[in-house]
Amino acid sequence: MSEINDARSTAGQWQLAWIKFRQNRVALVSGVILALMYLMTVFSGFLAPYGPDHRFARRAYVPPQGLHLFASDGLHLPFAYGLSQRVDDTGRTLFDHDPNIRHTLQLFARGDTHSFLGFETDLHVFGIEPTAEDGLFLLGTDRQGRDLLSRILYGARISLTIGLIGVTISVILGAVLGVTSGYFGGWVDELVQRTVEMLRAFPQIPLWMALSAAIPPDVDQITSYFMITLILSLLGWTSLARIVRGKVLSLRSEEFVMAAQLMGASHKRVIFRHLIPGVLGEIIVVATIAVPTMILAESALSFLNLGIRPPMTSWGVLLQEGRNLTTLYFHQWLLLPALFIVITVLSFNFLGDAFRDAADPYTE
Amino acid sequence: MVPAMVPALDYQQAPMLAAAVERGELPPLEQRLPPQPMIVKPVHEIGRYGGTWHRMMKGSSDFHAYSRLVYEQMVRWQVSETGGLEVGPGLVREWEFTDNDRTLRLHLRRGLRWSDGAPFSADDVLFWWHHIANDANLSGSLPSYWKPDDTPMEVVRTDSFTVDLRFSKPYPLAVMYLAFKGNQWPLVFERSGFFAPRHFLEPYLPKSGKADVATYAMFEQQANDFNPERPVMSAWRVKEWEPGNHLLAERNPYYWKVDSAGNQLPYLDQIRMEIFLNTEMINFRAVTGMLQMQQRHFTRENLPLLRSFTDKRDYSILTYEAAGIRAIMPNLQFPGDPALEQLLMTREFRIALSLAIDRDLINRLCYDGTGRITAMTLHPSAPDYVELTDAPNYAVYDPERARALLDSIGLDQRDADGYRIGLDGKTVSLIMELATVVGPDMDAVEIVRSQWEAVGIKTALKPEERTLYFQRVAQNGEHMIGVQGAEATFPLLSSARWFSTSLWCEWGHHWARWHLSGGERGIEPPAEVKRLQQLQAILSITVDADERKRLWQEVMRNHAENLWVIPLVAQATSIGVLSNDFGNVPERGVASWVAMTPGYLNPETFYSKSARALTTFDVRR
Amino acid sequence: MLTYIVRRLLRLIPTLVVISIMTFIIIQLPPGDFFDSLQAQLAESESRADQQAFDALRRQYHLDEPLWKQYLFWIGGCVQGDFGYSFEWRRPVADLIGERLGLTFVMSLGSLVFMWVVAIPIGIYSARNRLSWSDYSLTFVAFIGLCIPNFVIALIAMYASVFWFGGSAGGLFSQEYKYAAWSLPKVWDLLGHLWVPVVVIGAAGTATMMRLMRTSMLDVLDRAYITTARAKGLAERWVIYKYAVRVAINPMISIMGMQIPQLVSGSIIVAIVLGLPTTGPLFYRALETQDMYLAGTFLMLLAILLLLGNLLADILLALVDPRIRLE
């Protein structure tokens, strides 16, 4: 016991924060979940049984098919049933299991080619043998017969990274401008302050909508991805700039800064060695909370067809199908991307909360 | 010649009008009806007065949703005995061609009145002609269909009820155009028309001398279709227009048509158009049973959903034939790559592409099997309908033959991915552009893509915003392959994809440019296409019905042999909902924008079976 | 106090000018104009209009003039209350927005009331029973409300209202009252429909407020004067409500001013999904069709609302917290 106390009493600021953080179970779980999510993004090509545009001609709107262990003749390795179709009296196509056709789950199966770090490969973590008609539809298929799980995994690439990249841009912009404004004061400060005020005067969602509507329709996918990221990060940097500026203002009058200046340290050195570390904690907290906001914003914009547009996929684009009353009534599984959004956003929020608690020396 | 006396029918009017007459607000019925009202026989039975028709529209640019219901033209489309469409009388009682078919004489009905009681006469046509069509501040140059052979027509007033249209050469199509574009100006954004209420608009004309464009704003506002004060000749007139919310139209007390029992039409008291900004709303309204009859904006995707609620909500599904042929149209003068251009121009290449498509599959998967597989031919409802005989049909599925053909034209080498290599040594890579993003049409094209790849042609899809598609195709002609529908009931009126005489023609944009500029610009077309361009001109002046049929045979054969256009699936049905309470709606019909469906189906005879002279709608739970 | 308010209002004016310029620029960013997009729309539904017919209209609406001139036309009008003309609807923008503004406010106010009525008591309860199971589960529920995208909640609400309740789906009125004049039954009808969008829109805000209230309460409950009050023997309820809540609620009041404009802009997406007759869907359509005065005016109005909300928040804070007043 006393050892721990000793450790705590001599620990630096960061170590204290880490200890505190470690105690928050929920945050740890969230952290793990997020790490897994991002790993999933990197390896989506391997994890997804199919490519995002692999269409199965006669398998539109297949409900989620699980894997089965038991068949009429006892226990098997996990397998998926083949499907047979029939049409009901409203014209809707329904799918039944064909007990005679079984596709066994394979590990490290061969499937659609995808690229990874510049290499082309057709290896997948799991799958079934490639057939023309049937597929492994763990989460069902969409209107064009594409596997939902695969599309969710590929959609994660955009949904998860837009938040990160957007926040990175915001952080850089916000930190630089906030520090400059707080440290140098004078007309620089006035100018930045005014700009921040202007931007903050605009309500976010309508501004995002208006700017997204301005993206010309003929730009290619990469460009439009970056434009949307820019738009999202535009409003993020303002609050960060204000917080940073506030902190810098208060730190500026601290003795150690004066001491450094008296000792002849250049502005650059003061900023980078002294001010920014002091502000870093705040930045991390704000950034962590900003990511889910951006993820939600991107999904809302894409849902409205203002953000990422087909044929690119993101979770918001996938949810566009939900606008269709037929989907809501018959094919509810197509709303599953919302679950992924919720989990991601929840995790970031828990994490951000935990960071905030950890960094704050006053709470127990 | 004195017209036959009116038979001894007692004319009746709607109770709400009778009440207004009692109160002294309206003159009695005999004074409102013309001496010889037009008699319209309802398709099923005599209806009842009362009720409201609830429909939905998407916004101001969706004006067709309302305008088609008040389809009231000089002459109009009607159903012929054979079930096709033909031109019939409207505001014009009868017409004839004189002077070697170069003059069309229109005899207007006598005694008609505008919805505010003022008399309707030839002056209203002339007003349009002089002050609207020929005023550069209101209209651009005269539309091409009113200046065949580049000579503007002359509109001459012979007497109060007779108007002559004089052309420089025989122009039988004029009657068809009157049925298509002979409405009250301006039809909102379409800016077309043939008459306008002179007594009402004349005071709003900017005073001569002050040709300031801005002063036309008032005129525009008064003339606009959604202006409640504007007098009309149609069955209903706008009573309330709340943009973004709803449009309310009420019966026109001066409407000049009666049914075969002498009841003044229309039966329905009101039309309520709800404005929705979210496309899914219409499905919501349908499945809660709140629409009486609507076909616009429904897509086949929602058919199972709509069918699921038919019993609970007391409606049925309406299916009309959509008279269009969905087709893939390669840009035969593709400017981007000479080798590709040559390939696209090679007939065997197009034939191979056509043979590689399994249209049956597409029909089943995308259109519920309701489409028709056909070559580029007329729809049975077309006025000039004739069957194509004696021509090759490449709208069949034969991938083996497709592969053999491709091999035979020199595309037998494959690259590392298995795609065919062109004669220039590069992989043949096709790009199909289309103006839709989702929907069965998109799915169909997607299947085509996979089938072309199956025979070794690398293909990509490029769905794009309509604005962009329009720009690339109609303005610049820089697309490689476009996908659109070709009108098959009125191809002469919407001829873009048949004759390569319009910049809209995906497969012949630059040839059309050559044709339209008299050879100055664009690219000179090959002889067969020149023949097509000629055929359009000939058809537009040929009056004899048999000769027209023969000409059409030639057109269709030209298309069948050369396969300028690769047809996909034609005439998939267009769906709608019809409340079981709503009567006199025909079961069969053609969904055509030229015929302004449902305008040609006589909506003034639609009625509500449970009508009790209501003015509000009972919500069914 | 009065001078403070006047001073702040005066400071707003240059901000407003810059905002109007920025709004105009943003609205003009998309390539082409209303008539270009209209032409493409018409072309798709196979009606066609002559390019020159549109040119005449363009001249009428000054769309062929240089941008700065168009801006001056617009802003000159705005100052006089004429916010331009909507090309799509052919009505003055002021009329269009004005018609829908009432319902928009009613809905936002409803959400505000919902948020306060739900979040404050739960926040207090959560703080009093901190770290208990109910606290954790409430926090969790709050988080969920924060994390589900509001359009997903709206979709689920739509589904429920159509397929479970069989009610007139979407919209704020049943068919029979929709076009009728205002009356007491109509108000009831509105309330009956209003709760769906109010709950959906308020969900995220409620969650945030719940947590904020909880934090604020926890902060206050630790303070010395609370302990003193307890030590003096005051009833617990008295302590909580008379003292703790009164102080804890201050930061909440300060955000109330901001909440209305945030709710108005946050309601846009929900209103689009649910098809409500409020300003949101109108704005969305204006963006789609490049109906620029409509879109621009709406954006500017929202910005002004936000600025005023800020001002209101500061004023409220000054009113409520006596410490600030003394500055």
Side-chain angles (χ1 to χ4, degrees), chain A residues 246-363:
Chain A
K247 198 74 200 259
V248 166
L249 278 180
S250 70
L251 282 180
R252 195 170 63 161
S253 48
E254 294 281 325
E255 289 176 351
F256 69 91
V257 171
M258 267 199 291
Q261 285 173 321
L262 282 175
M263 284 201 287
S266 69
H267 289 308
K268 207 169 89 160
R269 191 177 163 82
V270 174
I271 290 178
F272 282 101
R273 280 299 294 269
H274 300 287
L275 290 176
I276 287 201
V279 165
L280 207 49
E282 314 262 350
I283 294 183
I284 292 183
V285 171
V286 172
T288 319
I289 303 285
V291 177
T293 312
M294 292 212 180
I295 294 182
L296 284 174
E298 180 271 318
S299 63
L301 285 178
S302 305
F303 175 76
L304 290 178
N305 212 31
L306 285 174
I308 307 284
R309 294 169 219 209
M312 275 203 288
T313 317
S314 78
W315 291 339
V317 170
L318 290 177
L319 284 174
Q320 262 184 21
E321 302 232 7
R323 282 186 91 167
N324 190 317
L325 191 57
T326 304
T327 301
L328 282 183
Y329 191 63
F330 289 133
H331 321 295
Q332 293 87 4
W333 62 90
L334 290 174
L335 293 178
L336 278 173
L339 187 63
F340 282 77
I341 296 181
V342 171
I343 294 178
T344 311
V345 171
L346 256 182
S347 307
F348 268 111
N349 270 315
F350 279 135
L351 209 61
D353 247 22
F355 281 148
R356 186 193 285 134
D357 279 347
D360 184 350
Y362 290 111
T363 62

Side-chain angles (χ1 to χ4, degrees), chain A residues 53 55 57-58 61 85 88-93 143-144 217-218 305 309-311 320 323-330, chain B residues 278 280 283-284 287 301-305 307-309 312 361 364-365 368 437-440 442-443 446 449 463 465 468:
Chain A
D53 286 310
R55 290 174 175 82
R58 279 167 250 251
Y61 291 131
Q85 272 179 298
D88 76 357
D89 49 7
T90 65
R92 195 177 147 217
T93 309
R143 196 169 47 79
Q144 298 187 37
D218 53 349
N305 212 31
R309 294 169 219 209
Q320 262 184 21
R323 282 186 91 167
N324 190 317
L325 191 57
T326 304
T327 301
L328 282 183
Y329 191 63
F330 289 133
Chain B
N278 172 5
E280 269 314 296
N283 292 312
F284 274 98
V287 302
E301 289 199 279
N302 294 306
L303 206 43
L305 178 71
R307 284 199 185 121
S308 307
F309 284 86
K312 257 190 279 184
L361 182 68
R364 251 184 316 121
L365 286 189
D368 256 354
V437 182
V438 287
M442 171 74 173
D443 296 343
E446 174 51 47
R449 187 191 71 88
E465 306 280 337
L468 187 61

Side-chain angles (χ1 to χ4, degrees), chain B residues 108-140:
Chain B
L108 302 174
R109 261 173 230 281
R110 291 168 182 268
L112 300 184
R113 291 178 180 279
W114 289 91
S115 57
D116 59 355
F120 174 82
S121 72
D123 291 333
D124 296 306
V125 175
L126 270 305
F127 177 74
W128 165 80
W129 177 243
H130 287 302
H131 294 283
I132 297 179
N134 284 306
D135 183 342
N137 291 312
L138 285 171
S139 314

Side-chain angles (χ1 to χ4, degrees), chain C:
Chain C
M1 179 53 90
L2 201 57
T3 43
Y4 175 69
I5 297 180
V6 169
R7 229 181 339 116
R8 287 290 298 270
L9 278 174
L10 282 179
R11 269 190 66 187
L12 277 184
I13 297 185
T15 317
L16 282 179
V17 172
V18 177
I19 285 179
S20 70
I21 297 180
M22 283 176 65
T23 308
F24 194 76
I25 294 177
I26 291 173
I27 296 301
Q28 291 282 19
L29 278 178
D33 63 21
F34 175 77
F35 293 103
D36 289 326
S37 107
L38 179 65
Q39 190 141 34
Q41 266 189 59
L42 290 182
E44 183 186 80
S45 59
E46 297 216 44
S47 44
R48 222 150 290 156
D50 203 356
Q51 177 72 7
Q52 288 152 310
F54 284 159
D55 283 342
L57 283 175
R58 276 199 180 95
R59 284 202 302 277
Q60 277 183 30
Y61 294 126
H62 304 292
L63 284 177
D64 51 344
E65 309 250 17
L67 275 184
W68 58 270
K69 256 198 187 170
Q70 290 185 45
Y71 169 73
L72 287 174
F73 273 128
W74 180 52
I75 204 71
C78 287
V79 172
Q80 299 169 31
D82 165 20
F83 293 97
Y85 201 70
S86 161
F87 307 129
E88 163 118 23
W89 306 105
R90 298 179 155 239
R91 287 266 300 260
V93 169
D95 289 353
L96 281 174
I97 295 188
E99 277 164 19
R100 294 184 159 222
L101 215 48
L103 276 178
T104 311
F105 269 119
V106 166
M107 202 169 66
S108 306
L109 262 168
S111 297
L112 190 70
V113 167
F114 172 78
M115 275 166 49
W116 276 71
V117 162
V118 170
I120 302 291
I122 296 189
I124 297 176
Y125 176 83
S126 220
R128 290 185 65 188
N129 301 302
R130 71 181 285 215
L131 299 184
S132 69
W133 275 117
S134 49
D135 180 28
Y136 273 133
S137 38
L138 282 172
T139 311
F140 193 71
V141 166
F143 263 112
I144 298 277
L146 204 54
C147 297
I148 303 187
N150 58 0
F151 60 88
V152 172
I153 306 181
L155 285 176
I156 298 175
M158 267 217 306
Y159 178 94
S161 94
V162 175
F163 297 122
W164 291 344
F165 305 125
S168 64
L172 290 177
F173 297 99
S174 317
Q175 201 79 356
E176 55 212 284
Y177 291 109
K178 198 162 180 177
Y179 309 110
W182 280 102
S183 61
L184 201 54
K186 181 165 176 170
V187 174
W188 280 126
D189 185 53
L190 173 63
L191 288 178
H193 283 92
L194 202 59
W195 70 269
V196 171
V198 155
V199 169
V200 174
I201 295 170
T206 310
T208 322
M209 272 186 75
M210 236 194 266
R211 293 172 54 211
L212 271 178
M213 189 64 194
R214 178 181 177 276
T215 317
S216 189
M217 276 292 284
L218 286 178
D219 192 41
V220 167
L221 284 176
D222 274 346
R223 297 287 171 83
Y225 55 85
I226 295 292
T227 328
T228 316
R230 283 200 185 115
K232 280 192 159 181
L234 282 175
E236 184 67 10
R237 286 191 44 193
W238 201 247
V239 171
I240 296 289
Y241 291 107
K242 192 77 159 88
Y243 289 102
V245 171
R246 174 102 205 273
V247 176
I249 232 176
N250 285 349
M252 313 294 285
I253 297 208
S254 74
I255 64 173
M256 185 160 83
M258 298 278 292
Q259 278 175 332
I260 295 236
Q262 278 172 357
L263 283 172
V264 169
S265 60
S267 71
I268 292 180
I269 297 182
V270 173
I272 292 172
V273 173
L274 293 177
L276 303 174
T278 59
T279 43
L282 204 60
F283 174 64
Y284 180 52
R285 179 133 180 103
L287 284 180
E288 268 187 324
T289 54
Q290 290 193 55
D291 200 352
M292 70 180 193
Y293 293 124
L294 186 53
T297 306
F298 186 66
L299 198 56
M300 200 172 68
L301 273 178
L302 281 181
I304 294 176
L305 208 58
L306 207 57
L307 282 176
L308 288 177
N310 251 316
L311 183 58
L312 188 62
D314 287 344
I315 293 176
L316 280 175
L317 194 61
L319 278 176
V320 159
D321 189 341
R323 296 174 290 179
I324 297 190
R325 237 184 274 161
L326 292 176
E327 281 175 18

